[in-house]
Amino acid sequence: MFGMVRPCRHRLGERFTTEWMAHLCGLCLALRGDHGQLARVVTNYDGLLISVLTEAQSDRSGALRRTAGPCPLRGMRTASVAQGEGARLAAAVSLVLASAKVRDHVADGDGLLARRPVALAARRVAAGWGAAGLRSGSAVGFDTAVLVDAVDRQLGIETLAGPGTPILTVTEPTETATAAAFAHTAVLAGRPGNAGPLAEAGRLFGRLAHLLDAVEDLAADTEAGAWNPLTATGTSLAEARRLADDAVHGVRLALREVEFTEPGLAHLLLVHELRRSVDRAFGTTPVCASHQPGPYGQPPQQGPYGQPQQQGPYGQPQQQGPYGGVPQNPYAGGGNPYAGGGGAAGGSGSGGGFGGFGGFGEGPAPQPPKGRRGFWAGCGMFWLLCCTCKLCCAKEYEGPWSRKKREGCCRDCDCDGCDCCCPCDGC
């Protein structure tokens, strides 16, 4: 999965999480149904926005959902998934843009693609995806030539770009492609009057996609000596942030001109989550003061009257005295030369008693790390983690090959647990 709009299920809530997953699975199954199993690897978070926008404008009397069979990525559960022309248009756009991305990596000689046999195979796959996208686009009345043309122009623009070239010159092909895709959702939904503002929203969305990709890749590209639009044009991060903020604001204004049947999920993704994507790329994700994390990333616990509760040496809430104060340890502060910072004698402080040596204090001694799993055992464990959804939902799981402790995808989200920092003024 790839894409810049990666919402956290804790922010989406139960209703919108179900809808978002319906579009994600609908895109994946549309790719499989029309183009085979291999095409499912181009499923991406941004592509499903096409399906979301189509449904948000469509008449609810039609059949917008179907029940899909069990899938290993859903823990072998059935699910209600999006269907219809929106999902097929999303599949066509995803295939064409993934084909372009592969060809771009081949041209740059990235990683394994620097090897001639791998590059030849990748070119064949990319050509197949491009042709498949053309067929799917034609089936829903969308001319993918605008996407192919944008991709072909991109390489030439990048070749000519240099210091002083406006960064918006480099992002223009992406803007044109996404504008066409967004505008066609209005045609599929039978609301041609929405095509203009949706084209504007798509143009700015494409600008953001290009800018944020450049920002996120800047350090790696600089280290590897690879081409990056910001470096090539001499655009500063401050200027890139200004353009990104303007684009987010422009998307919000453009969506106000769109006539939706049910705007909830589209508004959440293209207003709320797009802002968070910018903050995440620039490393400025806002966190409310009342939700600052604890010492090891845990949310702070509240005291009896709503104030943040004081933390112990390892993040545990400290015991309260009879009048709300923290009880004093008679052995702390020099009274007991062996006492740690705040623990009772022999207790659970960082160095108190025998606990600091892991042998006789709280908890067992640390266990030596386990060895790596073999290739086939690791493959089996990987599929087990997929089928039980632990890769995305578990607070912590053991790596299938390395056995290292890892966190589920939802633990990496930038969820702050409140809406008071939301810049939206039109909810």
Side-chain angles (χ1 to χ4, degrees), residues 295-377:
Y296 292 94
Q298 316 99 319
Q301 298 192 22
Q302 298 295 318
Y305 300 104
Q307 75 275 18
Q309 192 164 352
Q310 293 178 279
Q311 302 290 321
Y314 290 103
Q316 316 100 318
Q318 286 199 358
Q319 298 291 327
Q320 297 290 324
Y323 302 103
V326 179
Q328 299 297 318
N329 179 358
Y331 299 101
N336 181 355
Y338 303 103
S348 57
S350 59
F354 302 99
F357 299 96
F360 307 101
E362 69 167 18
Q367 298 297 317
K370 301 177 183 177
R372 290 178 58 89
R373 288 191 180 91
F375 176 76
W376 294 112

Side-chain angles (χ1 to χ4, degrees), residues 51-257:
S51 179
V52 170
L53 284 172
T54 305
E55 185 176 289
Q57 302 170 76
S58 299
D59 185 359
R60 294 283 159 164
S61 61
L64 302 177
R65 294 282 190 274
R66 70 178 180 87
T67 301
C71 174
L73 298 179
R74 292 193 300 266
M76 298 309 293
R77 295 188 295 269
T78 61
S80 175
V81 303
Q83 65 171 350
E85 293 184 331
R88 298 184 71 185
L89 175 61
V93 172
S94 297
L95 282 166
V96 173
L97 296 183
S99 171
K101 194 175 185 70
V102 170
R103 291 202 302 269
D104 185 55
H105 285 307
V106 170
D108 292 342
D110 294 337
L112 289 175
L113 295 175
R115 301 181 180 181
R116 184 176 177 82
V118 179
L120 289 174
R123 285 195 186 97
R124 293 189 61 182
V125 171
W129 283 348
L134 177 61
R135 293 194 304 271
S136 287
S138 299
V140 294
F142 180 63
D143 185 4
T144 57
V146 65
L147 305 184
V148 176
D149 175 68
V151 170
D152 291 340
R153 287 189 296 110
Q154 186 73 55
L155 182 59
I157 290 174
E158 291 180 356
T159 302
L160 297 174
T165 302
I167 187 68
L168 298 187
T169 301
V170 181
T171 64
E172 181 273 324
T174 307
E175 295 178 21
T176 301
T178 50
F182 273 45
H184 197 69
T185 64
V187 177
L188 295 182
R191 296 182 183 271
N194 288 341
L198 282 175
E200 177 65 8
R203 183 179 67 82
L204 295 171
F205 183 88
R207 178 182 300 178
L208 270 173
H210 205 131
L211 284 173
L212 299 190
D213 184 63
V215 170
E216 291 177 343
D217 292 346
L218 182 59
D221 288 345
T222 301
E223 182 178 353
W227 193 90
N228 185 283
L230 298 179
T231 305
T233 61
T235 303
S236 66
L237 284 176
E239 174 65 7
R241 179 61 191 257
R242 185 188 68 81
L243 292 171
D245 289 339
D246 286 348
V248 170
H249 183 64
V251 169
R252 183 164 73 246
L253 294 179
L255 291 179
R256 289 178 178 175
E257 306 299 321

